[in-house]
Amino acid sequence: MATVAEWVEGARPRTLPTAIAPVLAGTGAAAGVAGFDPLAAVLALIVSVALVIGVNYANDYSDGVRGTDDDRVGPLRLVGSGAAQPYKVKRAAFTCFGIGAVAGVVLSLYSGHWWLIVVGAVCLLGAWFYTGGSRPYGYRGLGEVAVFVFFGPVAVLGTEFVQTGRASGLGIGASVGVGLLACAVLVANNLRDIGSDVDTGKRTLAVVLGDRDTRVLYAALVVVPLGMTLVLSLRAWGALAGLLALILLGPALRRVLAGSTGPQLIPVLRDTALGLLVWSAATALGLALT
């Protein structure tokens, strides 16, 4: 039976920046156009955190029952390690999805846009079928596309929309930066796992591209958001605060370009996720103040 500490580790708390960052960026964009709504922001955060934890448990379950987590570098896999029975991990995933769904319905009704319930349903399907079902799109090299869409435009602009009733140019720019950096987190993870994914038949984008081109992709995903900071600063000079993320993203990029592999990429994954959080928080504050 898995301990509480193992369940917490299985939730992969180091990925929580990917849940928090879009809400921060969207809220900053909303505040930048004088539309900050704290209740809507809190509800959006509950939805985002619940879905990210849920997808982490869902991935643990689906990869575990397929056997693709039998030989992995990184955090504990509850099913793959045998620490928890598969049905319990699946139940944990659907419990988190349920919490996110309830918060999402409340948020949709509160904001007066009931059609957002449909968007939420699509997000739930995307979360499950990333590695779940008979034809998971995460095994077909489409994970990065989904991450960009769901963590970028959907999450950032959705957060702004429920607070202001519209999507602004600031929000669109912020959504691109968040979406690309969230993709960088996934790419760092998949770069680390190329060897084991090849052995188990998991065809991620990193497997398709190969080691060298995956490192080039990671570099692009990190550099372009920094360029977006400069673009946003033309409208709101405070957005330049997003360059503070270089403190974390710079060393991570150096490690990737230097050829780090396996466990050496674990700090890259950590720093990329934290860099995403810093970029989003600093950009949000900059947009709100200017």
Side-chain angles (χ1 to χ4, degrees):
M1 181 178 295
T3 65
V4 172
E6 287 173 330
W7 277 105
V8 170
E9 187 176 357
R12 303 182 194 179
R14 290 182 180 178
T15 65
L16 287 181
T18 63
I20 300 169
V23 178
L24 289 177
T27 299
V33 293
F36 174 56
D37 184 328
L39 178 56
V42 169
L43 287 170
L45 182 61
I46 293 172
V47 172
S48 188
V49 170
L51 290 186
V52 166
I53 294 176
V55 79
N56 286 339
Y57 282 135
N59 293 345
D60 191 306
Y61 165 78
S62 296
D63 285 343
V65 296
R66 283 191 174 89
T68 55
D69 274 350
D70 291 345
D71 184 22
R72 285 281 177 146
V73 176
L76 171 74
R77 268 66 168 189
L78 293 165
V79 176
S81 68
Q85 294 175 303
Y87 81 91
K88 291 184 178 180
V89 178
K90 184 178 182 180
R91 184 171 61 193
F94 277 86
T95 298
C96 293
F97 289 155
I99 293 171
V102 170
V105 169
V106 172
L107 177 58
S108 298
L109 297 177
Y110 171 74
S111 67
H113 303 289
W114 64 267
W115 55 267
L116 288 174
I117 295 173
V118 178
V119 176
V122 173
C123 291
L124 287 172
L125 292 174
W128 174 252
F129 287 106
Y130 174 59
T131 56
S134 60
R135 296 171 63 86
Y137 64 85
Y139 282 50
R140 300 167 64 85
L142 297 174
E144 284 75 8
V145 175
V147 165
F148 176 79
V149 171
F150 289 123
F151 288 86
V154 171
V156 176
L157 296 180
T159 298
E160 182 185 20
F161 187 82
V162 295
Q163 297 182 63
T164 66
R166 67 187 181 94
S168 67
L170 295 178
I172 293 171
S175 74
V176 171
V178 171
L180 293 177
L181 286 173
C183 283
V185 175
L186 179 60
V187 168
N189 180 81
N190 290 342
L191 175 63
R192 181 196 65 194
D193 293 338
I194 283 180
S196 59
D197 286 340
V198 168
D199 292 340
T200 58
K202 186 175 183 180
R203 198 166 180 265
T204 63
L205 184 59
V207 170
V208 173
L209 293 177
D211 184 273
R212 185 189 67 177
D213 288 345
T214 298
R215 295 177 190 275
V216 173
L217 174 61
Y218 175 86
L221 292 172
V222 168
V223 171
V224 172
L226 298 176
M228 184 55 68
T229 293
L230 301 180
V231 174
L232 286 170
S233 71
L234 298 177
R235 288 277 307 276
W237 61 265
L240 288 171
L243 294 176
L244 289 171
L246 271 170
I247 297 171
L248 292 159
L249 297 175
L253 181 57
R254 284 197 299 270
R255 282 178 179 267
V256 169
L257 296 181
S260 296
T261 59
Q264 297 171 336
L265 287 168
I266 294 176
V268 172
L269 184 58
R270 177 200 64 208
D271 290 348
T272 306
L274 291 176
L276 163 62
L277 184 61
V278 170
W279 188 90
S280 301
T283 300
L285 185 60
L287 295 180
L289 293 178
T290 58

